[in-house]
Amino acid sequence: MILTFLTIGHRGVMGVEPENTLRSFLRAEHDGMDAIELDLHLSKDGALVVMHDLEVDRTTDGTGAIADLNLAELRELDAGLGERIPVFEEVLDAVGSPIQAEIKDVAAARALAEVMHERGLVGRVEVSSFHDEAVAEIARLVPGVRTVLIASRWGGDIVQRAKAVGAHRLALSIRRLSLEVVEQARKEGIGINGWVVNTQEQLRLARAFELEAVTTDLPEIRRIGRFTA
């Protein structure tokens, strides 16, 4: 029997390319990732900027908060290997893969909803967030969109939280995931995505839990995640 995971490239494939750049997304697609994960913030002038942190300091040669910089200023920064910070629409045009768009700033939900309506992206873009209110808001603004509630640490109410906001899946840290939570979610018809799966041990755990998806930084996880049993 061939067992497969949906492998989601984390910020592209950030283990081998500069994260959240077109270079990273193109590499993820070239290496056969089933979907590409990226992060969204709003710039000072309302652009949907693809970056993980609140500030540009860690991943570029600039400093300051994304919310305090306009798009033209952000475009001047080097995001690694000469890459520029992309906006969401550029990623949509550059790759054809399904996308998991993580809302880092709740305010970005409305801007994302507008793009999804304009481009008819319900079938291609899944929306995730650590913020319950962002998941609920995007579901309200874009009927039919698939949503994911993310958590790195959580309490016993995590499945009920997901159910309350209508999330289709939970994305939970593989390091803290338990069979009890997996079974609770499955009973409610909620899928589980384990993140970040970068080692053989973590992959074995994902297999044992029969997870629907794994998020990884490394292209090779897709290859070794598919095996014959």
Side-chain angles (χ1 to χ4, degrees), residues 150-178:
I150 314 172
S152 54
R153 298 179 183 273
W154 57 86
D157 63 341
I158 187 62
V159 174
Q160 290 306 310
R161 283 174 53 199
K163 187 177 178 182
V165 297
H168 297 83
R169 275 195 289 147
L170 278 163
L172 301 177
S173 170
I174 195 71
R175 295 181 179 182
R176 298 182 177 88
L177 192 55
S178 68

Side-chain angles (χ1 to χ4, degrees), residues 63-214:
T63 59
I66 296 171
D68 293 335
L69 299 168
N70 60 41
L71 183 58
E73 292 170 321
L74 291 165
R75 292 290 204 195
E76 295 176 357
L77 305 179
D78 186 332
L81 299 177
E83 289 288 308
R84 300 300 165 185
I85 300 170
V87 293
F88 182 55
E89 293 88 339
E90 288 175 320
V91 181
L92 293 171
D93 293 338
V95 298
S97 301
I99 290 173
Q100 185 183 97
E102 181 182 339
I103 301 173
K104 304 301 290 187
D105 176 358
V106 177
R110 185 167 296 277
L112 175 58
E114 290 177 3
V115 175
M116 291 188 69
H117 283 302
E118 288 170 3
R119 297 206 178 196
L121 297 173
V122 170
R124 182 184 175 196
V125 175
E126 178 179 71
V127 182
S128 64
S129 185
F130 279 89
H131 306 289
D132 297 47
E133 59 270 34
V135 174
E137 179 71 354
I138 197 70
R140 183 184 70 81
L141 294 171
V142 186
V145 66
R146 292 188 62 79
T147 55
V148 182
L149 180 64
I150 314 172
S152 54
R153 298 179 183 273
W154 57 86
D157 63 341
I158 187 62
V159 174
Q160 290 306 310
R161 283 174 53 199
K163 187 177 178 182
V165 297
H168 297 83
R169 275 195 289 147
L170 278 163
L172 301 177
S173 170
I174 195 71
R175 295 181 179 182
R176 298 182 177 88
L177 192 55
S178 68
L179 182 59
E180 180 183 8
V181 170
V182 172
E183 290 178 340
Q184 287 176 359
R186 198 157 284 148
K187 188 179 297 184
E188 296 293 345
I190 297 169
I192 299 279
N193 170 20
W195 64 271
V196 175
V197 173
N198 286 338
T199 67
Q200 289 274 10
E201 181 181 358
Q202 291 165 345
L203 188 57
R204 282 195 294 269
L205 186 59
R207 288 170 173 162
F209 284 153
E210 298 181 346
L211 302 186
E212 286 76 14
V214 295

Side-chain angles (χ1 to χ4, degrees), residues 4-15:
T4 64
F5 289 109
L6 175 66
T7 48
I8 302 171
H10 192 212
R11 307 177 205 168
V13 278
M14 63 174 287

